[in-house]
Amino acid sequence: MNVNKLPTEILQQILKRVAMGPEQNMATAAPALRRHLLGVCFRWREIILNMAELWTFVRIYLIKTEYEGKETTFQNALATLDLNLSRTSSQLLDIYWHTSLDVSHVTQLFKVINTRAPFCRWRSLEIDIDFWHSYRLHSIQSDDRYSNLESLKIHWCQREGLLPLINSTISSNFRSFHNIGAYTPADLLRDRISNIMSRATELTLPNFGAALLPPLPPQITTLSIWSMTLQNTAHIHDLTVHLSPSISQFFDHDWSSLVSLDVLFTRTQHSHPLPQQTILFPRLQTLVVREGRFRPLISISAPSLVSLRLERGHESVEKANRSLFDTISHPSYTVTSMGKLEIGFPLSPMVLASVIRDFSAVELLGFGFDDSYDGWEVIRHVICERRYVKVEWSERLKDNFMAGVKILKLQMNWILGDDAFENPWKEYTAKIFEDIPGKQLETIRCSWPRGDSWELSRLNWEKSHSKVDGSKQEEGHCAL
């Protein structure tokens, strides 16, 4: 089908989806994609130039060293910025900010911004690098307010910069604050985000512990912090803790609202006694445990869990396997998942068999491989031939082995993602369906280190399998 024969309205939606690029890399993807699409043909160029929403992501990347003694180059950069901003009409803007300029260039830059993109039109702002201390931002800015700003992400936080101005002028529209950098003293940060803290519902401070912050306001529901020293938790829905906490730090807190938890626990010895009490997470649906330390899971009760992800981090594969096996084999272990179980490291045959046995209700089962041959052997011995289904298992466990799994996800951690490695895996994936006929398994997915993936459904495999059988029968008739 010729894309240019599509109605303009449909083509606009297609170009909009393509031009926005991947959300996690908007800073570089969106402008680059726009440039490529503008050069395809005259019709596409006209459509893109007249779609204001395609220009709302604004990348302001101006570095002093690039313009020293090159005034014409700087003026050309400002002219390009001015032209791009003029195409945004009155749309709200998403700003990526990476600048370090002298005072004269700062003044010229803000003349363009105040004319074309006043603060009241800023919807989100990511400050990769703010201006250095060679100027006073307050003397340059207008009295405009960040009345529509919803999200602020900062990598470098300066004493004199945009942060104090934003903190004093944001409105009730503000929702999300991320401070990624670790170069701001905690007391200074508290002073700079007092109003932000009173309005944000999502707070990310991976380099600051909760003890360094004022008490969390009740409207904050999503929290990412360095250390686990919280006072009030009843309002937290999503929690990420970056520094290894002890499982005991979760006791004596109200987790009635917690839906998602991402944590890496402190290193514990197997001889260390487990706490006698159990922590109840009544609404927890997503749990991620990192660094291969799974033993604290024995003290957790999560009856509503839908997704469980386990990562080994810097632990060796052997230690992570041993920790996982000891954990799920413990008589007090109750954590299971009704939806997804993803294990990001290679499993030994015994551990994989135990995982399949104890998580028989999961619909998606995923695990990793570091070596093609070992991966094939594990799948063949455990899943296809069931060599590790133990005699002492009950008949119910034997009958339910892999019975609930609809999607098998194979993550290739270090296996090269080229045709020489991918094609044998695709052939072997088809053989899994052949070895497990009539089962509930519907789809097998393979993901590669370079980011792409491949999948085969049982329906497509059966169609291709029937075609092959039909062609063989035709060849037989012809031979007769």
Side-chain angles (χ1 to χ4, degrees), residues 275-287:
Q276 295 298 316
Q277 59 189 126
T278 299
I279 309 168
L280 176 62
F281 297 94
R283 296 181 57 196
L284 189 67
Q285 296 182 13
T286 302
L287 176 59

Side-chain angles (χ1 to χ4, degrees), residues 268-457:
T268 56
Q269 301 296 327
H270 286 281
S271 59
H272 190 77
L274 288 166
Q276 295 298 316
Q277 59 189 126
T278 299
I279 309 168
L280 176 62
F281 297 94
R283 296 181 57 196
L284 189 67
Q285 296 182 13
T286 302
L287 176 59
V288 180
V289 181
R290 305 185 185 277
E291 292 296 331
R293 304 163 193 172
F294 310 124
R295 191 166 178 261
L297 290 173
I298 299 172
S299 300
I300 289 178
S301 174
S304 302
L305 195 66
V306 175
S307 175
L308 175 62
R309 181 167 183 84
L310 306 175
E311 297 285 352
R312 71 177 180 90
H314 295 91
E315 287 283 18
S316 66
V317 173
E318 292 74 19
K319 286 184 178 180
N321 269 263
R322 184 164 62 249
S323 175
L324 178 57
F325 182 78
D326 292 345
T327 299
I328 64 178
S329 300
H330 195 280
S332 299
Y333 178 81
T334 61
V335 175
T336 186
S337 171
M338 301 300 292
K340 297 192 299 183
L341 172 63
E342 297 186 73
I343 302 172
F345 54 89
L347 298 177
S348 68
M350 179 60 72
V351 175
L352 178 57
S354 301
V355 165
I356 295 174
R357 175 198 64 192
D358 295 338
F359 290 84
S360 58
V362 296
E363 294 187 356
L364 184 149
L365 174 63
F367 48 93
F369 293 117
D370 289 344
D371 179 83
S372 290
Y373 180 77
D374 289 344
W376 291 333
E377 289 295 291
V378 169
I379 292 174
R380 182 166 64 88
H381 290 165
V382 178
I383 295 178
C384 299
E385 299 177 1
R386 299 192 179 190
R387 293 188 189 181
Y388 287 83
V389 175
K390 296 297 183 180
V391 175
E392 62 269 18
W393 290 6
S394 67
E395 292 301 321
R396 182 184 64 81
L397 289 176
K398 294 177 182 178
D399 293 340
N400 289 338
F401 192 78
M402 284 284 292
V405 178
K406 294 182 179 179
I407 301 174
L408 185 63
K409 183 178 179 181
L410 309 177
Q411 178 180 322
M412 315 305 170
N413 296 329
W414 301 105
I415 300 172
L416 296 176
D418 54 24
D419 292 341
F421 285 87
E422 287 188 18
N423 290 335
W425 267 103
K426 292 177 181 179
E427 295 175 5
Y428 190 75
T429 300
K431 193 174 186 307
I432 296 175
F433 282 127
E434 186 176 342
D435 290 341
I436 314 178
K439 296 293 182 180
Q440 196 168 354
L441 184 63
E442 296 176 356
T443 304
I444 301 176
R445 296 175 184 166
C446 295
S447 60
W448 310 96
R450 65 188 183 194
D452 57 343
S453 60
W454 174 86
E455 74 174 41
L456 177 67
S457 68

Side-chain angles (χ1 to χ4, degrees), residues 26-216:
M26 287 284 287
T28 54
L33 286 170
R34 279 200 307 252
R35 288 195 300 270
H36 290 310
L37 293 174
L38 282 169
V40 172
C41 66
F42 179 78
R43 186 188 180 201
W44 285 26
R45 182 178 180 84
E46 285 298 304
I47 291 175
I48 292 172
L49 290 178
N50 290 286
M51 289 181 67
E53 60 267 37
L54 294 187
W55 298 89
T56 56
F57 186 88
V58 181
R59 187 171 188 261
I60 301 176
Y61 189 98
L62 300 170
I63 302 299
K64 179 179 180 179
T65 55
E66 295 183 5
Y67 302 112
E68 287 181 323
K70 302 176 182 178
E71 188 62 27
T72 302
T73 304
F74 179 75
Q75 295 303 324
N76 289 339
L78 275 189
T80 300
L81 175 63
D82 182 74
L83 178 61
N84 289 346
L85 288 173
S86 70
R87 293 167 177 160
T88 64
S89 183
S90 59
Q91 299 273 332
L92 295 180
L93 305 176
D94 300 298
I95 308 291
Y96 172 81
W97 193 275
H98 186 119
T99 59
S100 176
L101 299 171
D102 56 36
V103 176
S104 63
H105 285 163
V106 167
T107 305
Q108 295 178 62
L109 170 61
F110 273 93
K111 284 182 180 179
V112 173
I113 289 177
N114 292 334
T115 302
R116 294 291 192 183
F119 292 155
C120 61
R121 288 179 54 203
W122 291 23
R123 174 174 51 200
S124 69
L125 171 62
E126 178 178 355
I127 302 176
D128 194 356
I129 291 183
D130 197 0
F131 301 114
W132 299 101
H133 43 269
S134 59
Y135 71 97
R136 293 277 177 177
L137 185 64
H138 307 76
S139 64
I140 297 173
Q141 291 301 334
S142 66
D143 294 329
D144 198 9
R145 299 174 62 85
Y146 291 87
S147 55
N148 285 297
L149 191 68
E150 300 175 3
S151 172
L152 172 63
K153 181 183 291 186
I154 293 180
H155 297 266
W156 293 82
C157 181
Q158 302 297 320
R159 289 180 177 273
E160 298 297 337
L162 291 173
L163 183 57
L165 185 61
I166 294 171
N167 183 62
S168 63
T169 62
I170 59 171
S171 71
S172 58
N173 291 321
F174 191 77
R175 294 289 181 269
S176 175
F177 176 62
H178 300 248
N179 187 70
I180 311 300
Y183 302 96
T184 305
D187 56 343
L188 177 61
L189 180 66
R190 285 199 300 269
D191 295 339
R192 292 292 191 264
I193 65 171
S194 56
N195 195 32
I196 287 174
M197 285 279 288
S198 68
R199 298 185 183 278
T201 59
E202 179 180 343
L203 188 63
T204 301
L205 299 169
N207 297 293
F208 295 89
L212 300 175
L213 299 173
L216 296 177

